[in-house]
Amino acid sequence: MWSVHDDAGERTHPSPEALVLREFGGHRSASLFPTRSKHANYFDPAQGPGMRRAYQDNGEGMNQPRTNPPHEDQRVLMSLIAGLPKVELHMHIEGSLEPELMFTIAARNAVSLKYESVEAVREAYRFGNLQSFLSIYYEACSVLLHEQDFYDLTLAYLQRAHAQHVVHTEIFFDPQCHTQRGVAFATVLSGIRRALVEGERAFGITSRLIMCILRHLSAEAAVDILEQAQLYREHIIAVGLDSYEIGHPPAQFVNVFERARQHGFLTVAHAGEEGPADYIWQALNLLRVSRIDHGVRCMDDEALVGELVKRQVPLTVCPLSNVKLGVFPRLEEHNLREMLHRGLCVTVNSDDPAYFGGYIAENFVAAQQALHLTASEIYHLSMNAIQAAFLPAAEKQALLDQAAAVYHQEIAS
Ligand code: HPA
Ligand code: ZN
């Protein structure tokens, strides 16, 4: 029987979160995670790789009383988050543009920004909703003009991802945001790709690219960018759908996505972030997507939850993003844990890490803290991401084996 434990324990100084985040800065030091006692009862041995059903079969997990394990357990959890091999499936490369790099690139391209300083940029990052975020996001993209800019942007993300033990990443890019400003598709793709090749050589990070269609633009504009993407088919695994969701339902892009599938692209779509559960149905049934990006609003529709569970459609959830954009008022109220317990294939991702206060590890840490995620839950979230990746089965298995080894070393030994 699966049981839930309370991970909340007395804090020490510096806190385990501070330690783990310091580690993510790239200075791994064994002394940051001193030897701690192992808690044999911490993990239910009935669970292991491929045990996603354990969540479905358990009707009582969410409401069970929680026990208080010793505070060392918090260290175990932080160490587990640090050590697990991570797969990121929802990250917009333009959303990884840190203010410092934004200023550097703006200066060399002689682009003037409406902000005086890095601090002023960060000060502006108080978003009420998706719309207020996207207007700043699109404006910041105006500094990106040359191949080198896209290279620097992507390499900076890969360096941070590597420091957090990301081993595979599937990156969104928004070419319409750049072609509209006169930057060629080839320039964007070439800079990103050159960094991805370098990232694999230097860090061993594997990657895929997903071209997103901006849903606030027309279906004709979408077809146009799809035809450009078709020229680089071998470098782009899938077509996605992003930007302002409400008022731009997936149904508007049925023909474009049909054409994308005919060209051999896989498909994904942002749905059920701010928009209703019905948009998730449309993405599934009309766009025939392999994954739903966000999808948190599925919980409003029981039949939809049943369908997503039955088909094990991956949902790429982004906890910090959802709070920054007001989808949930507080992380403590996020439905990630409940979704996991319902048997949904949920994963943790950063979305636009430079804007939302953290990369993938910070998302795991914050979700763990707010929702008291257990080691087993963290492990399952990581395994879900591996299973949901657009990777060959053998590569997924190798990553699952790595994750299992880390998990057992951290928890069960
Ligand atoms: N939602 C929709 N579109 C986006 C996002 C997002 O969080 N980030 C970049 N484009
Ligand atoms: Zn997104």
Side-chain angles (χ1 to χ4, degrees), residues 16-300:
E17 313 80 79
L19 291 177
V20 81
L21 292 176
R22 194 185 305 163
E23 162 150 312
F24 290 143
H27 310 288
R28 191 172 179 103
S29 152
S31 65
L32 285 178
F33 295 98
T35 318
R36 50 3 183 212
S37 57
K38 307 279 182 178
H39 305 290
N41 68 344
Y42 189 76
F43 168 65
D44 179 351
Q47 292 188 64
M51 291 299 291
R52 201 181 281 143
R53 278 177 54 77
Y55 292 98
Q56 280 164 259
D57 295 340
N58 183 325
E60 58 192 333
M62 286 302 292
N63 300 321
Q64 279 200 358
R66 293 168 152 225
T67 55
N68 278 325
H71 73 269
E72 288 90 7
D73 277 355
Q74 195 65 18
R75 284 176 181 268
V76 177
L77 293 168
M78 294 302 117
S79 182
L80 178 67
I81 291 173
L84 278 170
K86 291 169 201 68
V87 165
E88 177 141 68
L89 304 175
H90 185 159
M91 201 288 303
H92 303 260
I93 197 64
E94 294 89 348
S96 71
L97 180 59
E98 293 285 348
E100 290 80 2
L101 186 58
M102 192 193 301
F103 272 85
T104 303
I105 296 177
R108 77 184 182 210
N109 289 346
V111 173
S112 62
L113 290 168
K114 76 176 193 192
Y115 305 102
E116 294 262 297
S117 64
V118 163
E119 292 70 34
V121 175
R122 290 220 158 85
E123 186 61 21
Y125 289 176
R126 294 210 215 108
F127 319 109
N129 53 28
L130 181 57
Q131 175 129 16
S132 58
F133 156 67
L134 285 174
S135 43
I136 292 185
Y137 168 96
Y138 291 131
E139 192 185 311
C141 285
S142 68
V143 304
L144 302 168
L145 293 177
H146 305 297
E147 198 260 7
Q148 186 68 36
D149 305 336
F150 291 93
Y151 174 88
D152 291 347
L153 171 70
T154 308
L155 198 67
Y157 162 71
L158 291 169
Q159 280 163 342
R160 287 180 183 258
H162 175 60
Q164 300 196 344
H165 205 4
V166 171
V167 293
H168 177 73
T169 180
E170 301 191 352
I171 294 178
F172 293 131
F173 70 117
D174 283 335
Q176 285 164 293
C177 174
H178 312 298
T179 54
Q180 272 193 329
R181 300 180 292 111
V183 179
F185 193 111
T187 301
V188 178
L189 188 65
S190 161
I192 296 174
R193 284 235 345 117
R194 186 158 63 88
L196 294 179
V197 169
E198 175 61 13
E200 182 157 5
R201 189 199 64 76
F203 310 131
I205 300 184
T206 55
S207 61
R208 298 286 186 272
L209 273 177
I210 302 173
M211 181 195 78
C212 276
I213 286 169
L214 298 184
R215 67 203 305 163
H216 68 276
L217 301 179
S218 68
E220 292 71 37
V223 170
D224 183 64
I225 207 74
L226 179 63
E227 293 314 313
Q228 297 196 56
Q230 165 62 10
L231 302 173
Y232 307 98
R233 172 66 197 85
E234 74 273 27
H235 299 312
I236 301 171
I237 186 98
V239 168
L241 187 67
D242 69 357
S243 191
Y244 309 99
E245 186 181 9
I246 292 173
H248 303 286
Q252 289 180 345
F253 297 91
V254 179
N255 294 338
V256 184
F257 272 62
E258 169 80 40
R259 196 189 280 229
R261 288 198 313 278
Q262 282 168 1
H263 284 326
F265 294 105
L266 296 170
T267 58
V268 298
H270 283 54
E273 176 185 15
E274 283 187 342
D278 182 53
Y279 284 15
I280 303 176
W281 279 118
Q282 291 182 24
L284 284 179
N285 294 338
L286 303 179
L287 305 190
R288 315 255 301 269
V289 295
S290 304
R291 300 194 296 243
I292 297 283
D293 296 311
H294 292 293
V296 291
R297 294 284 306 276
C298 74
M299 297 294 271
D300 298 342

